[in-house]
Amino acid sequence: MKKQLILYCSISLLFLTTPVKALQDINIVTYADFSHIRDIAVSMNYIYFATSEGIIIYDKISEEWISPLSGTPNIDYRNIFKIYVDQFDRSLFARTEINSYEYDMTFANWSYVNEIPQIDKTYYDVSLPPILYVEPNYFYSGNGYIQDDSGFEYPIIQMVREDSGVRWISVWGLGAAKVGHSDLIEFLPYGLIQNRVNTILYSDGTLIVGGDNVGSSRTGLTFFDIEQNSFSYKESGLTFEFPDEDIRAIEEDDKFYYLATLGGLAALDKETLEVTQIITERNGLISDQLLYLKKVKDKLYIGSLYGLQVLNENSDSLKLIYSNQFQNQSIYDFALTDSTLWIASEVGAYQLHLGSLELKKFRDPFQIASGRVYNIERYEENLFIASSSGMVRLNLKTGKTTSFRSDSHGTNHRALAVNDDVAFISTDFGFEMFYLTESGFSNSREFTTSDGIPSQFVFDLLLDGDYLWVGTDRGLSQFLWNDPDRID
């Protein structure tokens, strides 16, 4: 009987986390800052947490998180304040400030209900005990707050107790936690450390995410292990060594992560995640407001708001690159070919020959790349250049160019991701997908918030096989772009 019950619950959660194309055209899951929890519900196998960015679900048996309910249709998932689940996961209900809803496990969809029925529960709310134990670097005050080493306090909003004696708590700003019989608080980190995603770096199966500290209680780097569906963090602002500056780009080599921030350049040891060096205007940067980085052998090319520099790691010397062309001009992106560094700048796209250091401006027949160029991506023999006017594809072998005009102006940025088959470019309302052909493209479609992405403001795009990672100011979305059931 027990095995049958577990099998039933597993099948139910499979339906729970699998969108149905007839109800939601795109297959998308959004990961965000899930650390602000409003309510907890408990079933026999799962713990449901209603957060300010959707419902997250923890598997008690495997002690792992499963895919969140964030972005599911027909409900304002950011406005859920109460959730209810029966002990066998057959019924899930949610209440917002205005209405009540029931979740259809089969069709992965919410529907309005007049009232929420009585549900038998195997858990109940309890008061906080005077003594709880916390992992190192934290302290339980005894009056309902957890304090970190820097003196920041995070209130415990709710504690529920199962008949087994295990307790589950929500810590506002720190997220979900478990309290066992030893009264030790075990944090269960899940989601981004902050909602704003400026940059995504893929590194050995892990996504490293950085962004602006806009309205976030915590800031820094998020490390997302995709296969394990687990999260860890390097928090900024806790020490002087790693201030809470906005992160605009992340680069790496064998030993270090390099961060382009609006307060200078930071280098983190990859093993310890300790900050080993911070370089600012005091150390020779022409601007602390950095926008992009590219490591080429022993040199780190630095794009800033006011020009281009190169850092030689053997001598720690900083050198200006072509100050005449790039003086007081923003450098947004780099792409590397065999012998050339391509530069996306406020005054166009340029080729920098790494041997002779000769600089040449790129010119396309329709002058799409003649003005402000935000992004350059290389995929095999093709180079893609994104500007405020659209996109240009350059065949590096033949020199042939193909133009892609965009109705969107792209006045602030142009995120870009490409492979052999498709190209994605951010627009004023989300992002556009082009199905590529040798002569151009066969079809295109724009995806917006009405399709399920969390925001119209897209700052970074990263292709990962059949999936596209979309970085916005409201979280990081995983989009199944190669979905055979979607109609474009």
Side-chain angles (χ1 to χ4, degrees), residues 16-80:
L16 183 68
T17 57
T18 305
V20 173
K21 310 302 181 299
L23 294 172
Q24 190 175 16
D25 188 32
I26 67 173
N27 189 327
I28 192 166
V29 177
T30 295
Y31 302 87
D33 177 4
F34 296 127
S35 67
H36 299 89
I37 298 170
R38 301 185 179 118
D39 195 30
I40 305 172
V42 180
S43 71
M44 184 174 293
N45 294 306
Y46 303 95
I47 313 296
Y48 298 78
F49 298 91
T51 81
S52 59
E53 297 293 335
I55 297 174
I56 57 177
I57 307 167
Y58 185 74
D59 187 325
K60 293 190 293 183
I61 298 174
S62 66
E63 297 185 330
E64 296 174 339
W65 291 97
I66 64 175
S67 294
L69 293 180
S70 52
T72 46
N74 298 342
I75 192 172
D76 182 3
Y77 63 90
R78 297 192 182 108
N79 196 29
I80 296 174

Side-chain angles (χ1 to χ4, degrees), residues 12 120 200 271 274 375 423 444 456:
S12 295
D120 294 331
I200 314 161
E271 290 187 3
E274 295 301 317
N375 210 310
S444 69
Q456 70 186 70

Side-chain angles (χ1 to χ4, degrees), residues 386-387 390-391 414-417 423-427 430-432 434 461:
S387 74
M391 178 175 64
R414 280 284 200 193
L416 182 64
F424 296 89
I425 185 171
S426 63
T427 68
F431 62 89
E432 190 169 4
F434 294 90
L461 297 168

Side-chain angles (χ1 to χ4, degrees), residues 59-335:
D59 187 325
K60 293 190 293 183
I61 298 174
S62 66
E63 297 185 330
E64 296 174 339
W65 291 97
I66 64 175
S67 294
L69 293 180
S70 52
T72 46
N74 298 342
I75 192 172
D76 182 3
Y77 63 90
R78 297 192 182 108
N79 196 29
I80 296 174
F81 285 85
K82 293 287 292 182
I83 50 175
Y84 312 83
V85 66
D86 75 293
Q87 58 181 316
F88 302 118
D89 299 287
R90 290 173 298 197
S91 301
L92 176 65
F93 294 90
R95 180 175 292 154
T96 66
E97 288 181 329
I98 302 174
N99 295 315
S100 298
Y101 299 86
E102 181 178 9
Y103 190 78
D104 189 313
M105 302 284 189
T106 303
F107 294 103
N109 185 49
W110 293 95
S111 60
Y112 169 79
V113 293
N114 290 322
E115 62 180 18
I116 296 175
Q118 183 68 33
I119 295 179
D120 294 331
K121 300 193 301 183
T122 58
Y123 67 97
Y124 46 92
D125 286 272
V126 294
S127 301
L128 297 175
I131 297 176
L132 288 172
Y133 303 100
V134 197
E135 61 189 49
N137 302 322
Y138 290 97
F139 170 74
Y140 176 61
S141 65
N143 61 350
Y145 286 85
I146 292 177
Q147 189 178 84
D148 63 22
D149 281 347
S150 300
F152 292 103
E153 290 187 331
Y154 303 92
I156 298 177
I157 301 300
Q158 185 181 12
M159 174 182 279
V160 302
R161 181 187 181 98
E162 296 189 73
D163 291 339
S164 64
V166 176
R167 289 157 290 175
W168 305 89
I169 63 175
S170 62
V171 187
W172 194 258
L174 288 179
K178 176 183 178 180
V179 182
H181 298 285
S182 62
D183 290 332
L184 175 66
I185 297 176
E186 177 191 354
F187 293 113
L188 304 171
Y190 193 69
L192 306 182
I193 200 169
Q194 58 201 26
N195 277 334
R196 169 79 175 241
V197 176
N198 286 336
T199 180
I200 314 161
L201 174 69
Y202 182 88
S203 177
D204 296 328
T206 297
L207 296 181
I208 307 173
V209 181
D212 287 4
N213 50 354
V214 181
S216 301
S217 58
R218 301 165 67 203
T219 59
L221 292 174
T222 297
F223 294 83
F224 178 16
D225 187 315
I226 303 171
E227 183 176 347
Q228 299 297 323
N229 190 29
S230 62
F231 291 81
S232 59
Y233 314 104
K234 173 61 177 178
E235 192 167 351
S236 61
L238 301 181
T239 64
F240 290 109
E241 288 77 17
F242 191 30
D244 58 344
E245 299 287 352
D246 297 344
I247 298 171
R248 292 301 172 91
I250 308 170
E251 178 64 304
E252 68 172 343
D253 59 19
D254 291 339
K255 296 181 179 179
F256 299 102
Y257 296 117
Y258 301 95
L259 309 181
T261 80
L262 296 189
L265 172 68
L268 278 68
D269 184 279
K270 295 182 78 168
E271 290 187 3
T272 65
L273 293 185
E274 295 301 317
V275 177
T276 62
Q277 190 176 25
I278 291 182
I279 299 176
T280 65
E281 292 176 6
R282 294 181 179 181
N283 310 110
L285 285 180
I286 54 175
S287 171
D288 285 343
Q289 300 180 69
L290 305 187
L291 303 179
Y292 206 77
L293 304 169
K294 189 68 177 179
K295 188 73 188 296
V296 183
K297 297 182 179 179
D298 62 345
K299 293 181 174 57
L300 182 67
Y301 289 87
I302 304 169
S304 75
L305 198 64
Y306 297 114
L308 173 63
Q309 284 180 283
V310 61
L311 173 67
N312 191 322
E313 71 174 21
N314 294 326
S315 61
D316 281 343
S317 63
L318 282 161
K319 180 182 178 181
L320 269 173
I321 302 289
Y322 283 92
S323 56
N324 290 336
Q325 281 82 0
F326 300 129
Q327 184 176 16
N328 296 326
Q329 304 294 340
S330 297
I331 306 297
Y332 298 107
D333 194 19
F334 300 113

